[in-house]
Amino acid sequence: AQSVAQPEDQVNVAEGNPLTVKCTYSVSGNPYLFWYVQYPNRGLQFLLKYITGDNLVKGSYGFEAEFNKSQTSFHLKKPSALVSDSALYFCAVRDMRNTDKLIFGTGTRLQVFP
Amino acid sequence: IAGITQAPTSQILAAGRRMTLRCTQDMRHNAMYWYRQDLGLGLRLIHYSNTAGTTGKGEVPDGYSVSRANTDDFPLTLASAVPSQTSVYFCASSDQTYGEQFFGPGTRLTVL
C-alpha cells in the first residue's frame, strides 16, 4: 500500500537552530513528493516538491528537503529556524495508482521558541 | 478572485439540516478535491473530480455528495448533517502536471 509517515507529532527547536521535520514514504515506482505548511486558521500552502533530479530540493521561506531513495525519506530542513516558522507541516506523495491524488501524512507541528 | 475561494468561512448547523459548501477556482485547473481535516487524522479525501462532468469517491465519501458542472466550481453537499461531520473542510485544485495541489482557506463546520 502506498503511504506516507510523519513519525513526530511535534518538533520543538530554538530560534536560530537548524530544524528537521521527518517524512518517510512507501510507494511503487519513482515517487513525487511534496511538503506543505499550514499556519493557524489557514489552508495548506505549497513549500516544495521533488519530482526528479537533484536530491536536495530548495523551496519557499528558506526551506529545503533531501530525497533519500535508499532510506525512502524526504525530510524537511532549514538551517536556521525562525519563530514565524511555527506551524503545521504536511508531507505528501503522489498516488501513482491514481495519479491525480496526493496521500498526506498526519502532520507535524513545529514549535520554534525564542 | 485569486486562486481558490471557499464559502462560508464558518458555519454552525443543526443535525439533520442540509448544507452546501462552495468552492470556486480561477486557475482553470482540471482537477478539484474536497478534504476534511480532523485533529490527529490529518487530511482525508472526501471526493474528487478529474475534469468537469466527472466525480469520484475518496477515502471518506459517506454522507457527502459533489457535482462538477463546470471547470471553476466544485460544491460539496451534506444532505443530512450529523455531529461526526464537524470538521474543517478544504477545497483544492491541481493542474495534474506533477500532482501539486493548491488549497482554499477552508470552511469550519460545526454540527450540533
Side-chain angles (χ1 to χ4, degrees):
Chain A
Q2 306 200 86
S3 64
V4 171
Q6 294 182 244
E8 303 155 315
D9 290 336
Q10 180 155 332
V11 170
N12 299 317
V13 64
E15 187 174 32
N17 283 1
L19 68 87
T20 298
V21 182
K22 295 179 181 178
C23 173
T24 59
Y25 65 90
S26 174
V27 297
S28 54
N30 294 320
Y32 289 7
L33 294 157
F34 305 83
W35 274 103
Y36 287 82
V37 60
Q38 184 181 29
Y39 297 103
N41 300 313
R42 301 286 296 276
L44 276 69
Q45 296 178 33
F46 170 78
L47 273 180
L48 51 81
K49 65 177 180 277
Y50 172 82
I51 304 300
T52 187
D54 194 346
N55 289 343
L56 186 63
V57 179
K58 294 189 182 297
S60 306
Y61 311 122
F63 283 93
E64 57 191 27
E66 186 170 11
F67 172 66
N68 188 317
K69 188 172 184 178
S70 63
Q71 297 186 4
T72 62
S73 67
F74 189 56
H75 300 333
L76 182 70
K77 300 181 179 184
K78 188 174 183 181
S80 179
L82 299 172
V83 172
S84 57
D85 292 330
S86 298
L88 188 58
Y89 290 81
F90 289 95
C91 181
V93 64
R94 190 174 187 178
D95 184 348
M96 292 306 190
R97 301 165 306 172
N98 295 288
T99 56
D100 300 321
K101 300 179 191 175
L102 293 180
I103 300 170
F104 285 88
T106 52
T108 298
R109 185 163 301 281
L110 173 67
Q111 189 71 49
V112 181
F113 295 95
Chain B
I1 297 178
I4 297 180
T5 59
Q6 292 184 237
T9 302
S10 64
Q11 182 75 44
I12 299 174
L13 190 66
R17 297 296 295 271
R18 180 183 179 91
M19 176 73 190
T20 295
L21 308 185
R22 300 185 297 279
C23 174
T24 299
Q25 55 113 350
D26 66 354
M27 296 175 283
R28 308 302 295 172
H29 287 166
N30 283 329
M32 297 187 74
Y33 313 85
W34 274 106
Y35 295 90
R36 59 178 290 172
Q37 184 179 25
D38 303 288
L39 192 64
L41 297 176
L43 286 164
R44 293 183 292 170
L45 183 64
I46 304 171
H47 284 288
Y48 66 96
S49 169
N50 290 337
T51 189
T54 69
T55 63
K57 294 181 179 180
E59 183 183 356
V60 288
D62 294 343
Y64 305 94
S65 63
V66 292
S67 62
R68 188 88 184 277
N70 57 61
T71 297
D72 298 343
D73 300 301
F74 190 43
L76 176 73
T77 297
L78 289 67
S80 179
V82 296
S84 62
Q85 292 177 311
T86 293
S87 188
V88 181
Y89 292 86
F90 290 101
C91 180
S93 71
S94 169
D95 68 1
Q96 300 172 285
T97 303
Y98 296 116
E100 175 184 338
Q101 293 182 14
F102 298 86
F103 285 79
T107 293
R108 184 175 296 276
L109 182 66
T110 302
V111 183
L112 301 176

